[in-house]
Amino acid sequence: MRAAPVRRAAGATAAPLVDRLGATSVEHAPVIESAGGLVWREREGRLQVQLVHRPRYDDWSWPKGKLEPGESLNTAAAREVAEETGKPVVLGVPLPGLQYLTPEGRVKRVHYWAARRASRTGDDAALAARFPVQPPSKDEVDRKAWLDVDDAAARLTRTADQGPLEALVQAHSQSRLTTHAVVIVRHGKAVTRAAWHGTEHDRPLTPVGHAQGTALVPVLAAYGVSSVVSSRWERCAATIEPYVQASRARPELSDQLGEAEHERLPSRVAATVRELLESGRSSVLCTHRPVLPTVLDVLGRHSRRAVANVLPSRDPFLEPGDLLVAHVSTTGKGPRVVAVEKVTPPVY
């Protein structure tokens, strides 16, 4: 039985997810969170997307699925797309999500990202950091198809699924679909200054901080992070170490990203951020709260106005262990941040 769509005004299209229940008006209904992606490619100048057919529902839709315990939305999206299409992907810009009522009266919310096929060479670090995924049985997905976007819109079983596709096509027409990620991480929770009797340079993470570093691994892998840049100070280096170990990436540790050097020469931090924006490689930069205003200022200067307006603007900017994903497009005028996401990886 197919899920019953939420009633919408005539002519309304699927809206981006706004709050926990959004427009469902079912205040106490159980919520099922799921995630997926619109895998895209270009062939002979045409934009194509990949659909999957599920025999259980006899429908054509986007690859997606429910979150596993302790899994973030981004990690679930990358995993589910890899499982249902049989190929690993790298997440790009976020797309509008959907929500609807199931026949059992639950609210199902689906979060979507644009996604591209991962490369065994350029994305090898991120792929090394991921858990292996198993392809679905024929009872779950029995067919896959690459289609031009107009044909895909016609093939989709549910009209609401056209909402994310329209956003994908618009992003492509505005040259905002081919992107790389620059991920800004505030180090995990550290031992307080009052409780630490060593140097500030050596102040370590707490057990929670170490768990936050571990929780970063699948999120960074989902965005294809291949380059690691971090403050050399212990609490930053330790936060990013789990990803370094999992991905086998060679980290670039710098005193310039520490609090003391930043206070003396913030221009060097700004130059590092600009280099990451211009690099074309998906990268992560781990630093400290007092350094974040300079980092965010550089991001803002290279952002669309709508994106700059939603960048964190108040102290502490990011909580310990949080990350900001900047999706960067390369233009004739230089790098341009076309979308941002703030992520708090789940810690258990």
Side-chain angles (χ1 to χ4, degrees):
M1 181 181 295
R2 293 173 184 163
V6 175
R7 290 184 179 180
R8 301 180 185 273
T13 58
L17 298 171
V18 177
D19 55 33
R20 184 116 181 113
L21 294 179
T24 63
S25 301
V26 186
E27 296 182 1
H28 303 294
V31 177
I32 304 170
E33 299 283 5
S34 59
L38 276 64
V39 190
W40 66 275
R41 69 183 186 185
E42 292 178 319
R43 286 293 184 272
E44 299 179 354
R46 303 193 312 276
L47 179 63
Q48 296 184 331
V49 289
Q50 190 172 32
L51 302 183
V52 296
H53 181 264
R54 302 181 300 170
R56 178 182 177 185
Y57 302 102
D58 188 23
D59 70 353
W60 285 95
S61 63
W62 309 118
K64 61 184 180 296
K66 291 186 289 187
L67 275 65
E68 294 181 349
E71 192 173 38
S72 69
L73 290 165
N74 352 60
T75 305
R79 175 185 55 77
E80 284 288 344
V81 173
E83 288 179 356
E84 295 200 349
T85 66
K87 299 290 184 180
V89 298
V90 170
L91 300 186
V93 294
L95 298 172
L98 303 175
Q99 52 189 341
Y100 53 85
L101 294 177
T102 70
E104 299 79 21
R106 292 182 289 184
V107 176
K108 186 168 185 179
R109 291 159 50 92
V110 190
H111 304 252
Y112 285 116
W113 281 261
R116 62 169 176 82
R117 283 275 180 87
S119 163
R120 291 293 177 184
T121 53
D123 299 311
D124 54 327
L127 295 179
R130 299 184 185 185
F131 289 112
V133 297
Q134 298 298 321
S137 69
K138 292 294 184 182
D139 294 334
E140 295 179 75
V141 173
D142 61 351
R143 283 179 284 170
K144 295 166 283 189
W146 281 102
L147 299 170
D148 291 350
V149 290
D150 289 343
D151 295 332
R155 181 78 64 92
L156 286 166
T157 301
R158 295 179 179 83
T159 302
D161 279 342
Q162 295 180 16
L165 179 60
E166 292 169 0
L168 184 90
V169 172
Q170 182 179 22
H172 181 262
S173 69
Q174 296 171 336
S175 300
R176 297 174 184 169
L177 198 52
T178 300
T179 60
H180 67 280
V182 174
V183 184
I184 309 302
V185 174
R186 180 181 172 188
H187 66 72
K189 186 173 178 59
V191 173
T192 64
R193 288 181 171 86
W196 178 244
H197 303 294
T199 67
E200 185 65 12
H201 182 282
D202 295 327
R203 185 156 58 94
L205 296 177
T206 65
V208 170
H210 282 289
Q212 289 172 323
T214 300
L216 288 174
V217 175
V219 179
L220 297 178
Y223 290 105
V225 167
S226 61
S227 175
V228 177
V229 180
S230 174
S231 162
R232 193 184 300 277
W233 290 19
E234 170 62 22
R235 52 192 181 274
C236 270
T239 296
I240 212 66
E241 181 63 17
Y243 189 74
V244 169
Q245 293 295 326
S247 65
R248 300 191 290 273
R250 182 175 297 178
E252 179 184 334
L253 301 180
S254 172
D255 289 321
Q256 296 173 8
L257 295 171
E259 295 181 26
E261 282 298 306
H262 169 260
E263 185 174 355
R264 191 171 70 89
L265 283 173
S267 60
R268 291 184 176 178
V269 173
T272 298
V273 178
R274 284 194 297 270
E275 288 172 6
L276 296 180
L277 293 174
E278 294 167 355
S279 70
R281 301 188 309 274
S282 290
S283 55
V284 58
L285 183 151
C286 185
T287 190
H288 310 262
R289 178 189 56 79
V291 183
L292 289 175
T294 297
V295 173
L296 293 167
D297 179 67
V298 176
L299 292 182
R301 291 175 183 272
H302 289 82
S303 295
R304 299 170 48 225
R305 179 176 297 180
V307 174
N309 288 343
V310 299
L311 289 172
S313 58
R314 295 183 179 179
D315 192 27
F317 308 104
L318 295 173
E319 295 296 332
D322 279 2
L323 52 88
L324 187 78
V325 183
H327 297 277
V328 187
S329 175
T330 301
T331 74
K333 297 181 179 180
R336 194 75 166 166
V337 180
V338 298
V340 291
E341 302 175 73
K342 184 173 175 290
V343 183
T344 302
V347 175
Y348 289 88

